[in-house]
Amino acid sequence: MNRSLNIHKTLIIFAIPLLLVASMIYFTSTSFFKANTDKLSLAITIDLLLTVPLIYFLLIRKTTIPKTTIVPFVILSIVVCSFILPSENQHYLSLFKTWVLPLIEISVLSYVIYKIVKTIRLYKQHKKETASDFFTILKSTCQDILPKGIVIPFATEIAVIY
């Protein structure tokens, strides 16, 4: 029962932002949008680039879904916005691509580097505590940083490469 409830909750978490994106796509094909393209392009840009990722964040903030999954929603919004808006009304989208997107990329890169450094420190700490082989230390390190289901496959792949 609880598992099916979690599946439904996860489905809702992803369905709401995707429904918002789909509604923006539909709205741009209406005659009302075509009559007021200059005025409504800014609103659609703001909705796709800010509102959809914000709503997604609010839906996942108290779940186990990683917060870094917001980045794919931002990228999806940029791609959709690029396709549905006329090129002459993409001024704010190009500003977003020029100024905000590099900040997002730098933030993600910094986060990845931080996690790698943290993992290396954790590995060295486990290595000092026990005199075990590489695979055992790697497995205990992965248990601290990865979800339970992928610890063994991930540690095995790293050990094979090692």
Side-chain angles (χ1 to χ4, degrees):
M1 169 96 180
N2 194 20
R3 181 174 164 88
S4 66
L5 184 64
N6 286 338
I7 291 171
H8 293 306
K9 185 178 178 183
T10 304
L11 183 65
I12 289 172
I13 287 173
F14 288 105
I16 290 174
L18 291 176
L19 185 64
L20 288 170
V21 170
S23 67
M24 290 296 127
I25 293 170
Y26 172 75
F27 184 70
T28 57
S29 66
T30 62
S31 60
F32 182 72
F33 176 76
K34 291 179 178 157
N36 302 304
T37 305
D38 294 335
K39 296 175 185 173
L40 294 175
S41 292
L42 174 62
I44 289 177
T45 304
I46 290 172
D47 281 347
L48 285 174
L49 298 180
L50 299 176
T51 307
V52 170
L54 178 66
I55 288 173
Y56 177 71
F57 170 73
L58 293 175
L59 290 170
I60 68 164
R61 68 185 167 159
K62 293 184 180 179
T63 64
T64 58
I65 299 172
K67 308 305 182 258
T68 55
T69 58
I70 296 171
V71 175
F73 269 99
V74 172
I75 292 170
L76 173 72
S77 298
I78 289 171
V79 169
V80 168
C81 207
S82 297
F83 282 117
I84 65 173
L85 291 178
S87 59
E88 61 271 3
N89 294 333
Q90 292 185 4
H91 173 69
Y92 295 104
L93 177 63
S94 65
L95 285 175
F96 187 87
K97 288 179 185 177
T98 304
W99 296 102
V100 178
L101 194 59
L103 291 176
I104 293 171
E105 290 173 354
I106 289 171
S107 299
V108 169
L109 182 65
S110 300
Y111 179 74
V112 168
I113 290 172
Y114 167 74
K115 285 300 231 179
I116 289 171
V117 169
K118 183 178 173 184
T119 304
I120 291 170
R121 287 183 183 157
L122 195 58
Y123 171 76
K124 288 180 180 177
Q125 178 184 359
H126 284 293
K127 192 174 179 180
K128 287 179 184 176
E129 290 173 0
T130 61
S132 299
D133 61 314
F134 174 76
F135 183 70
T136 307
I137 297 168
L138 181 65
K139 209 166 51 172
S140 65
T141 303
C142 289
Q143 286 173 346
D144 293 341
I145 60 169
L146 294 174
K148 192 180 206 180
I150 64 170
V151 168
I152 298 297
F154 185 79
T156 304
E157 285 299 317
I158 298 296
V160 166
I161 293 169
Y162 178 75

